[in-house]
């Protein structure tokens, strides 16, 4: 295994461990044992457990941000741009669920720290993309005037609740999350369709349609 492959393997393992046990519940020794490496190697690549968690988060958040910024910069109608951003976001969150469980776990804690602030700052940059797209649509008349921030909260709340509150959402949607294909075949398409239909109904500027 090359040096880069080994580093990626440690990051993949750490992502799963942090998602299951949280930052405080995952010791460096345990992380090393799960990755099949010694603690010195983790320190060599990442400096500390804190550095490892930051590397795990940075890897996912930055790639997500790049994709969303690419969509935001497209010369498309606001409605189509919003749907493309949703496609990226839902696909990423449903595919990398371990990572998003880490984020939810860490920013849900009431403790303020440099780490939680960094996580919140990075997550907000991605959320802000949706706010900017909806604001753009409101300003150019493609969308009706709405509470933009609450609309974004509604979008994020729907996605995160269904994907992260599985014990309840499984019963609500009558699905079995234990089936490996259920996220791709049932949950992800259903989230996308609902948000598409909801946002189309909620944001459509009917005055524009009458012209």
């Amino acid at each position: 295994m090359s040096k880069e492959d080994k580093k990626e393997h440690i990051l993949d393992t750490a992502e799963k461990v942090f998602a299951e046990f949280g930052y405080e519940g995952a010791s460096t020794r345990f992380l090393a044992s799960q990755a099949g490496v010694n603690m010195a190697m983790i320190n060599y690549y990442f400096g500390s457990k804190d550095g490892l968690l930051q590397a795990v988060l940075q890897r996912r958040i930055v790639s997500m941000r790049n994709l969303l910024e690419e969509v935001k910069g497209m010369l498309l109608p606001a409605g189509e741009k919003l749907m493309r951003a949703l496609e990226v976001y839902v696909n990423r969150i449903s595919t990398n669920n371990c990572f998003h469980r880490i984020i939810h776990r860490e920013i849900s804690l009431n403790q303020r720290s440099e780490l939680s602030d960094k996580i919140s700052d990075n997550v907000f940059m991605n959320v802000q993309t949706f706010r900017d797209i909806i604001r753009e649509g409101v300003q150019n008349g493609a969308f009706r005037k709405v509470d933009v921030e609450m609309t974004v909260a509604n979008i994020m709340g729907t996605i995160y609740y269904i994907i992260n509150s599985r014990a309840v959402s499984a019963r609500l949607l009558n699905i079995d999350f234990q089936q490996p294909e259920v996220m791709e075949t049932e949950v992800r398409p259903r989230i996308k369709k609902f948000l598409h239909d909801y946002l189309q109904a909620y944001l459509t500027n009917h005055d524009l349609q009458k012209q």
Side-chain angles (χ1 to χ4, degrees):
M1 188 182 291
S2 70
K3 186 176 179 180
E4 197 58 36
D5 287 342
K6 192 166 287 186
K7 188 174 180 180
E8 286 297 308
H9 170 66
I10 294 171
L11 286 170
D12 289 340
T13 303
E15 186 172 305
K16 294 174 184 175
V17 172
F18 283 135
E20 185 171 354
F21 299 99
Y23 178 75
E24 296 300 332
S27 68
T28 306
R29 185 180 300 279
F30 183 65
L31 286 161
S33 69
Q34 292 297 297
V37 301
N38 55 45
M39 290 192 292
M41 187 169 290
I42 289 180
N43 291 330
Y44 171 75
Y45 284 126
F46 306 104
S48 63
K49 184 174 77 167
D50 184 80
L52 176 56
L53 178 58
Q54 289 192 43
V56 167
L57 298 175
Q58 191 75 2
R59 181 174 66 156
R60 299 295 188 191
I61 291 174
V62 170
S63 64
M64 170 88 86
R65 186 186 311 149
N66 290 339
L67 286 170
L68 289 174
E69 285 297 317
E70 184 180 329
V71 172
K72 180 181 168 183
M74 290 178 175
L75 298 176
L76 295 170
E80 186 175 343
K81 193 180 294 188
L82 180 57
M83 291 309 131
R84 289 204 183 192
L86 277 171
E87 182 87 10
V88 168
Y89 205 82
V90 173
N91 285 348
R92 278 303 184 98
I93 289 184
S94 59
T95 302
N96 301 313
N97 184 243
C98 284
F99 163 69
H100 292 283
R101 279 165 56 201
I102 297 171
I103 287 192
H104 242 345
R105 184 191 290 268
E106 297 305 323
I107 64 178
S108 294
L109 299 174
N110 290 324
Q111 304 166 354
R112 289 295 300 275
S113 66
E114 184 179 350
L115 178 61
S116 65
D117 285 345
K118 282 183 179 179
I119 295 172
S120 296
D121 289 345
N122 278 286
V123 170
F124 182 69
M125 288 181 191
N126 289 341
V127 171
Q128 189 172 246
T129 302
F130 286 90
R131 185 180 69 178
D132 292 345
I133 292 172
I134 295 172
R135 278 183 176 175
E136 176 190 328
V138 171
Q139 288 168 1
N140 65 27
F143 299 151
R144 70 186 186 88
K145 292 182 179 180
V146 297
D147 185 326
V148 175
E149 289 72 27
M150 288 302 295
T151 305
V152 175
N154 204 333
I155 293 169
M156 297 301 155
T158 298
I159 297 169
Y160 279 104
Y161 184 82
I162 295 300
I163 292 177
N164 291 313
S165 303
R166 295 193 175 193
V168 178
S169 59
R171 297 173 68 181
L172 176 65
L173 303 178
N174 193 29
I175 54 175
D176 182 6
F177 277 107
Q178 300 303 314
Q179 299 298 320
E181 73 282 356
V182 75
M183 181 62 74
E184 183 175 353
T185 61
E186 294 186 49
V187 180
R188 192 187 302 163
R190 194 165 175 182
I191 292 173
K192 290 178 185 178
K193 185 178 188 310
F194 167 76
L195 288 174
H196 177 275
D197 293 348
Y198 156 70
L199 290 169
Q200 188 173 47
Y202 182 63
L203 293 174
T204 296
N205 187 340
H206 296 289
D207 292 334
L208 189 64
Q209 288 185 330
K210 293 175 184 176
Q211 293 177 5

